[in-house]
């Protein structure tokens, strides 16, 4: 092999490369049915192809890519801020006790998933914190959380290739969650009576200002004014996150408790959203927040995957497969014996169990897709389409970040 050949992209070329990755992914998802069936995100498809090409060239002449990290981090923070800005406390109250129960189940599963990951990683001779990468960091958190925490693991805990490993686990989880959810829900359908309202109506579920969860591809029109206002909100959240992160590093830098900057961005979004709406009667344009959040996530993932160094995890292939296979079995058992029973052992509980599989190994879009596959055949479940998107849009990321921060602060794991 010849000398390493490193291509350094400035912010302009990084953005161009990321958009090319997204366009390639979009074309492939539209033309390859299996990718659309399992809801594999466009940036993941395009990004993994780019990463594989980089791997091939690296094996030939040491080729690698360095991108503008500041731009990538900015889009990551915007994505997590969008989650916080979408968390309207008035809307969350409408979920009631079922929302609290389902959120508690997800929280319990996050803890169990990490215990299993850490235990198996230790048994297989890997650093214990590697178990978090094969746990809720990637399987519940998805690609966005995987990349965000992966950077922390590399810089603060010295786990080389954490981002690459995280992306691989998140992709496996996304596919596995899509494969498991439908069969689990359909099996549970044999144990329940499908209610009359599910058989006789196809109306969509609406919460608050006509948030139609059963139509995820619905176009969202935004205006120039709403776009400017939304960008101002994002700027406030990112400035707040930067200040709080620096403040914590300066005054509590010796503490083992790590709170990443993107968690501060999410928390800032929650505060900004609810303070403005409650005390100043400001209307937050949710459609604009969603659009900017989705765009930020897509660009962030494209950049993260574009700069993956796949050659760094080739020795972890077998341990990775073992741990993720056990996590998949755990997910099925938890969905059938915990989620279904705690949520009422009825039709809605069966649909929620299918959606839970999307949470446990995948992402909120996977959870929604799993439920749609069931309700398209058996009829709508208003409770499921009320609870799952709200938990996925807000609670799961807060809980996951809290649990991960607490575990990484344990001295015997470092």
């Amino acid at each position: 092999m010849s000398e390493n050949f490193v291509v350094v992209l400035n912010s302009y070329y990084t953005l161009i490369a990321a958009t090319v990755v997204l366009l390639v992914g979009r074309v492939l998802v539209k033309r390859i049915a299996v990718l659309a069936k399992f809801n594999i995100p466009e940036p993941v498809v395009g990004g993994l192809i780019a990463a594989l090409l980089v791997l091939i060239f690296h094996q030939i002449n040491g080729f690698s890519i360095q991108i503008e990290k500041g731009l990538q981090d900015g889009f990551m923070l915007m994505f997590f801020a969008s989650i916080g800005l979408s968390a309207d406390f008035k809307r969350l109250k409408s979920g009631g006790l079922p929302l609290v129960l389902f959120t508690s189940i997800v929280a319990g599963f996050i803890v169990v998933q990490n215990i299993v990951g850490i235990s198996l990683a230790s048994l297989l001779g890997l650093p214990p914190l590697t178990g978090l990468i094969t746990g809720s960091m990637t399987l519940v958190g998805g690609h966005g959380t995987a990349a965000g925490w992966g950077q922390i693991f590399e810089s603060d805990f010295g786990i080389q290739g954490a981002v690459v490993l995280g992306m691989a686990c998140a992709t496996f989880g996304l596919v596995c969650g899509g494969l498991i959810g439908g069969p689990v829900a359909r099996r549970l359908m044999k144990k329940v009576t499908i209610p009359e309202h599910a058989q006789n109506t196809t109306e969509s579920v609406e919460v608050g200002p006509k948030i139609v969860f059963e139509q995820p591809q619905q176009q969202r029109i935004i205006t120039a004014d709403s776009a400017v206002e939304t960008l101002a909100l994002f700027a406030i959240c990112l400035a707040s996150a930067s200040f709080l992160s620096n403040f914590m590093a300066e005054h509590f830098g010796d503490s083992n408790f790590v709170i990443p900057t993107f968690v501060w961005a999410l928390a800032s979004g929650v505060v900004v959203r609810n303070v403005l709406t409650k005390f100043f009667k400001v209307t937050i344009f949710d459609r604009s927040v969603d659009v900017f959040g989705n765009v930020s996530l897509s660009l962030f993932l494209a950049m993260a995957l574009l700069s993956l160094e796949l050659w760094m995890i080739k020795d972890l292939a077998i341990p990775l497969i073992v741990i993720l296979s056990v996590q998949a079995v755990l997910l099925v058992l938890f969905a059938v014996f915990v989620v279904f029973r705690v949520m009422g052992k009825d039709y809605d509980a069966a649909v929620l169990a299918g959606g839970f599989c999307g949470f446990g190994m995948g992402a909120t879009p996977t959870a929604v897709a799993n439920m749609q596959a069931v309700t398209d055949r058996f009829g709508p479940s208003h409770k499921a389409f009320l609870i799952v998107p709200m938990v996925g849009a807000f609670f799961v990321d807060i809980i996951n970040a809290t649990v991960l921060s607490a575990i990484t602060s344990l001295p015997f794991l470092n």
Side-chain angles (χ1 to χ4, degrees):
M1 181 182 295
S2 60
E3 280 189 31
N4 290 344
F5 178 51
V6 181
V7 174
V8 180
L9 303 179
N10 62 22
S11 57
Y12 306 121
Y13 289 110
T14 295
L15 187 58
I16 292 173
T19 53
V20 170
V21 166
L22 291 177
L23 292 173
V24 170
R26 179 185 303 174
V27 171
L28 292 176
V29 168
K30 287 183 177 180
R31 295 189 177 184
I32 302 177
V34 68
L35 296 177
K37 179 179 180 180
F38 295 122
N39 302 284
I40 307 299
E42 296 168 2
V44 173
V45 175
L48 286 177
I49 289 177
L52 289 172
L53 289 175
V54 172
L55 173 62
I56 292 172
F57 287 116
H58 177 81
Q59 297 302 109
I60 296 173
N61 62 359
F63 176 84
S64 62
I65 294 177
Q66 290 184 5
I67 66 170
E68 176 57 53
K69 295 292 292 182
L71 190 64
Q72 177 184 336
D73 292 343
F75 283 121
M76 176 185 69
L77 294 178
M78 285 186 66
F79 162 63
F80 282 100
S82 72
I83 296 174
L85 289 171
S86 300
D88 188 343
F89 286 155
K90 289 183 179 179
R91 190 183 308 158
L92 296 175
K93 289 180 182 178
S94 63
L97 180 60
L99 176 63
V100 175
L101 285 176
F102 191 75
T103 303
S104 300
I105 291 171
V106 173
F109 182 72
I110 287 174
V111 175
V112 172
Q113 195 174 60
N114 285 321
I115 291 174
V116 170
I118 292 173
S119 300
L120 289 175
S122 300
L123 288 174
L124 294 171
L126 301 176
L129 286 181
T130 306
L132 295 181
I133 304 177
T134 56
S136 72
M137 176 182 136
T138 60
L139 301 182
V140 171
H143 290 84
T145 304
W149 273 99
Q151 295 177 11
I152 300 295
F153 275 40
E154 289 183 352
S155 61
D156 293 359
F157 302 109
I159 300 179
Q160 295 302 313
V163 173
V164 184
L165 181 59
M167 289 297 171
C169 293
T171 301
F172 175 91
L174 200 66
V175 176
C176 195
L179 286 171
I180 291 174
V184 166
R186 283 191 287 272
R187 178 183 179 277
L188 293 174
M189 286 299 167
K190 299 177 181 179
K191 301 182 178 182
V192 304
T193 300
I194 300 176
E196 184 177 345
H197 79 269
Q199 301 176 33
N200 298 330
T201 181
T202 57
E203 66 180 33
S204 298
V205 180
E206 297 185 359
V207 182
K210 296 186 178 181
I211 300 173
V212 189
F213 296 127
E214 291 173 319
Q215 298 177 3
Q217 302 302 322
Q218 181 181 10
Q219 292 186 349
R220 294 168 246 181
I221 301 174
I222 63 176
T223 65
D225 287 342
S226 65
V228 172
E229 293 170 1
T230 303
L231 285 174
L233 294 177
F234 278 116
I236 294 172
C237 293
L238 267 60
S240 172
S242 178
F243 170 79
L244 291 171
S245 182
N246 292 333
F247 178 84
M248 291 295 292
E250 181 179 348
H251 293 84
F252 302 95
D254 296 333
S255 172
N256 288 325
F257 191 74
V258 178
I259 302 180
T261 304
F262 64 81
V263 176
W264 290 120
L266 192 157
S268 298
V270 174
V271 174
V272 168
R273 166 66 185 248
N274 290 281
V275 167
L276 289 179
T277 55
K278 181 174 180 61
F279 298 104
F280 298 95
K281 309 303 179 185
V282 174
T283 301
I284 304 295
F285 204 62
D286 289 308
R287 288 177 293 177
S288 184
V289 171
D290 291 342
V291 168
F292 279 106
N294 290 333
V295 169
S296 298
L297 176 60
S298 295
L299 289 171
F300 164 60
L301 290 178
M303 294 175 187
L305 289 163
L306 182 64
S307 57
L308 283 184
E309 297 176 340
L310 291 175
W311 53 90
M312 296 182 65
I313 63 167
K314 59 183 180 181
D315 296 331
L316 296 177
I318 293 178
L320 195 67
I321 293 173
V322 171
I323 297 175
L324 293 177
S325 297
V326 174
Q327 294 284 25
V329 173
L330 172 68
L331 176 67
V332 173
L333 296 176
F334 211 88
V336 173
F337 294 104
V338 178
V339 178
F340 178 65
R341 296 187 178 188
V342 173
M343 296 308 297
K345 295 191 291 186
D346 56 9
Y347 175 73
D348 291 322
V351 178
L352 280 168
F356 175 81
C357 291
F359 272 126
M361 297 187 79
T364 302
T366 310
V368 173
N370 286 349
M371 295 190 302
Q372 286 173 333
V374 177
T375 56
D376 284 347
R377 177 178 177 183
F378 297 100
S381 170
H382 297 346
K383 180 189 291 187
F385 277 95
L386 168 66
I387 293 174
V388 168
M390 285 197 292
V391 174
F394 175 57
F395 289 112
V396 71
D397 291 288
I398 292 287
I399 296 169
N400 200 18
T402 302
V403 171
L404 289 172
S405 295
I407 294 177
T408 53
S409 67
L410 297 175
F412 63 87
L413 292 179
N414 296 297

